[in-house]
């Protein structure tokens, strides 16, 4: 009888270690990547601002919410537990979500909401991104208090393309309502009128001393002389684009929407809802005998009412002497309707486009689309009175005259399981059905159509999309956000886009790469992106009132041929409708 070799039986722990060894040995790049786990408990918490106390829906009782910090390449697991009466979803704004569309977060697009007493774990890996993004609720207007920063650090042993700052500080702009914003939007949708506006803007949750009953609620940024600070600016306001400036200081813009840009200096910048901007602040070499206001106030180009107020924080130099009673200097913000300033500012953004951080602009285009974006009207329901713009109508908003209706089942599930019947159609118009003079005198008929329509793209389609603002009910700036992708802003201009002349002006070398970009008031932008991410991806105006009125649509990107180009099945804890 011969001795046959005995099988080697490993304990499960040893087997796991051996497996990990092989994984780490064969893929050294991922050796440093970690799994970062967070728990977001959605709970009510009382906060008082402007002498008004409100019960806010928060994450972990914090307002603004906690920081989510990870490195490029890390896997992130966030378990969201809903302890409040409202349904909840969280969107990780700007995270690419490559083949992880189930974790994107927009309600009724990629998931049904997390209901009271339920939990859902968002599971995604941060691939090829580093910088500042944000997370926020993506259902109704709940993001007014449910928001916070996403800070993506470079991989270990990798550096910024600029000198390492002395300190990094998130600055989040928001809006404060003395009443529940859910009541505000519910009333607006019922009456068809424009919504009541916010009562204050905030910096890191604090309105500042320019509002009544608010002096104690002022954000103070304490700095030392002769240092460079990285400010991670995030606009989490619901409905307002904001100017920002620090008195007697210039900042250097180095990144937008978690993509490095060619550095440029400004004393005033614009940041739209959903956008992030990293800036370097070089403090003065010696102690100045002054403190400096940091102001943020609205850019508003439309018609109707808006919150025309200013939030203030204070830049304070930590003085060695105890006498800190110095004069306070204020910057001057542009007028609220400074559209020329905005156009000039946005034109300054250029991708870094270096060997290490290239701008992979699609040089050829497979499919071209032309979408009008703007306001419109819808009829008042029978036997009711509406307070919309004219003749007993309701305010509405649309893309290519289609006001998007959110389904009662999630689009991604319906698509994945082949059950689109009665949920959505794939006939979203590629061009306006009836062309008109988009930025001239508006047409007599401003009624929109309604539907849950999508565009279907084959995997790896290169897309060029012209977004044309209209003058219907007033030309207005629209910060458009695309989920699941970054895009390149290859062109922009005022008036009507000219397909014969304007493409010759496109920048295909180093255009800015973003996830949210403003369609100028009375103008257009042209963007390009590669549809390399299978799933269902929402695109909408990031002014929440326009989203609520229907300025939104969805792209469906089909699976690619390779295993890593396919959307996996949904996680077992995906919420049910």
């Amino acid at each position: 009888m011969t001795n046959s070799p005995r099988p080697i039986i490993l304990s499960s722990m040893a087997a796991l270690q051996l497996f990990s060894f092989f994984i780490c040995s064969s893929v050294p790049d991922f050796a440093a990547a970690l799994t970062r786990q967070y728990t977001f408990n959605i709970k009510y918490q009382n906060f008082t601002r402007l002498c008004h106390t409100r019960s806010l829906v928060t994450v972990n009782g914090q307002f603004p919410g906690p920081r989510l910090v990870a490195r490029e390449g890390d896997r992130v697991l966030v378990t969201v537990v809903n302890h409040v009466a409202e349904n909840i979803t969280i969107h990780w704004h700007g995270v690419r979500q490559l083949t992880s569309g189930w974790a994107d977060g927009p309600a009724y697009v990629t998931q049904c909401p997390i209901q009271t007493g339920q939990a859902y774990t968002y599971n995604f890996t941060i691939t090829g991104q580093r910088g500042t993004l944000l997370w926020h609720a993506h259902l109704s207007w709940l993001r007014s208090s449910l928001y916070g920063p996403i800070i993506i650090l470079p991989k270990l042993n990798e550096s910024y393309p600029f000198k390492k700052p002395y300190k990094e500080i998130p600055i989040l702009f928001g809006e404060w309502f003395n009443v529940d914003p859910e009541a505000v939007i519910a009333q607006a949708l019922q009456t068809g009128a424009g919504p009541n506006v916010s009562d204050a803007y905030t910096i890191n949750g604090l309105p500042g001393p320019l509002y009544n009953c608010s002096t104690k609620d002022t954000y103070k940024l304490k700095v030392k002389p002769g240092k460079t600070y990285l400010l991670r600016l995030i606009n989490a306001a619901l409905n307002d684009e904001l100017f920002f400036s620090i008195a007697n200081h210039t900042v250097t813009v180095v990144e937008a929407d978690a993509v490095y840009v060619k550095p440029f200096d400004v004393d005033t910048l614009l940041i739209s809802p959903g956008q992030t901007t990293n800036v370097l602040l070089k403090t003065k070499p010696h102690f100045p005998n002054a403190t400096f206001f940091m102001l943020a106030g609205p850019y508003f180009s439309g018609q109707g009412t808006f919150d025309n107020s200013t939030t203030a924080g204070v830049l304070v130099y930590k003085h060695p002497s105890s006498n800190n009673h110095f004069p306070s200097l204020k910057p001057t913000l542009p007028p609220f309707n400074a559209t020329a300033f905005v156009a000039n500012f946005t034109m300054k953004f250029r991708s870094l486009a270096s060997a290490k951080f290239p701008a992979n602009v699609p040089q050829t285009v497979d499919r071209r689309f032309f979408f009008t974006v703007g306001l419109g009207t819808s009829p008042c329901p029978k036997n009711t009175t509406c307070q919309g713009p004219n003749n007993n109508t309701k305010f509405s908003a649309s893309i290519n005259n289609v006001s998007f209706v959110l389904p009662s089942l999630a689009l991604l599930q319906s698509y994945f399981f082949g059950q689109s019947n009665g949920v959505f159609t794939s006939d979203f118009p590629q061009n306006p059905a009836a062309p008109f003079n988009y930025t001239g005198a508006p047409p007599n008929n401003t009624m929109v159509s309604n539907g849950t329509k999508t565009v279907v793209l084959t995997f790896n389609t290169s897309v060029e999309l012209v977004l044309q603002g209209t003058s219907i009910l007033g030309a207005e700036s629209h910060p458009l956000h695309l989920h699941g992708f970054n895009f390149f802003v290859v062109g922009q201009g005022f008036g009507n886009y000219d397909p014969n002349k304007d493409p010759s002006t496109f920048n295909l070398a180093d255009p800015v790469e973003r996830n949210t970009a403003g369609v100028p008031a009375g103008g257009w932008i042209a963007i390009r992106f590669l549809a390399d991410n299978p799933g269902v991806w929402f695109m909408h105006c990031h002014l929440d009132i326009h989203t609520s009125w229907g300025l939104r649509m969805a792209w469906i990107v089909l699976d690619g041929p390779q295993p890593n180009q396919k959307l996996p099945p949904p996680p077992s804890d995906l919420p049910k409708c």
Side-chain angles (χ1 to χ4, degrees), residues 92-271:
W92 318 96
H93 181 115
V95 174
R96 281 289 320 268
Q97 297 292 3
L98 284 161
T99 67
S100 57
W102 304 107
D104 190 42
Y108 303 106
V109 179
T110 60
Q111 68 168 98
C112 300
I114 306 164
Q115 298 177 30
T116 308
Q118 303 292 311
Y120 177 49
T121 298
Y122 292 90
N123 177 354
F124 54 91
T125 298
I126 295 171
T127 307
Q129 293 182 279
R130 78 294 305 160
T132 305
L133 295 169
L134 70 153
W135 59 262
H136 61 76
H138 211 300
L139 176 58
S140 189
W141 282 17
L142 289 166
R143 73 177 182 86
S144 63
S145 59
L146 281 173
Y147 64 89
I150 298 176
I151 295 167
I152 308 170
L153 302 170
K155 289 181 179 176
L156 273 174
N157 304 321
E158 296 217 342
S159 56
Y160 298 127
F162 44 83
K163 192 180 163 198
K164 189 175 185 333
Y166 171 70
K167 206 170 177 186
E168 303 183 4
I169 297 148
I171 304 279
L172 290 91
F173 304 108
E175 287 185 84
W176 170 266
F177 290 78
N178 286 335
V179 298
D180 181 5
E182 289 302 283
V184 172
I185 181 57
Q187 179 188 31
L189 293 178
Q190 185 183 355
T191 64
N196 291 336
V197 301
S198 55
D199 294 283
Y201 300 110
T202 57
I203 297 175
N204 289 346
L206 301 169
L210 304 184
Y211 297 100
N212 288 335
C213 190
S214 186
T215 305
K216 69 181 192 316
D217 293 322
T218 300
Y219 175 70
K220 290 185 172 65
L221 174 55
K222 294 176 178 170
V223 297
K224 294 179 177 177
K227 302 285 186 191
T228 298
Y229 293 79
L230 179 71
L231 306 185
R232 298 176 177 272
L233 307 178
I234 298 169
N235 188 345
L238 274 183
N239 290 313
D240 291 273
E241 303 181 80
L242 294 168
F243 296 116
F244 175 68
S245 184
I246 305 173
N248 286 37
H249 288 72
T250 297
V251 296
T252 304
V253 176
V254 291
E255 179 204 298
D257 292 0
V259 182
Y260 296 129
V261 298
K262 291 183 172 70
F264 63 93
D265 296 342
V266 289
D267 51 23
T268 301
L269 54 84
L270 174 87
I271 185 165

Side-chain angles (χ1 to χ4, degrees), residues 6 9 14 56 94 228 241 270 273 280 297 322 340 356 360-361 395 411 434 447 450 469 478 533-534 558 565:
R6 294 175 62 187
I9 300 171
L56 301 188
T228 298
E241 303 181 80
L270 174 87
L280 297 174
S322 57
K356 182 155 192 194
N360 297 316
V361 191
F395 270 107
L411 294 176
M447 290 289 182
N450 298 291
H478 297 280
N533 194 4
L558 303 178
Q565 298 170 343

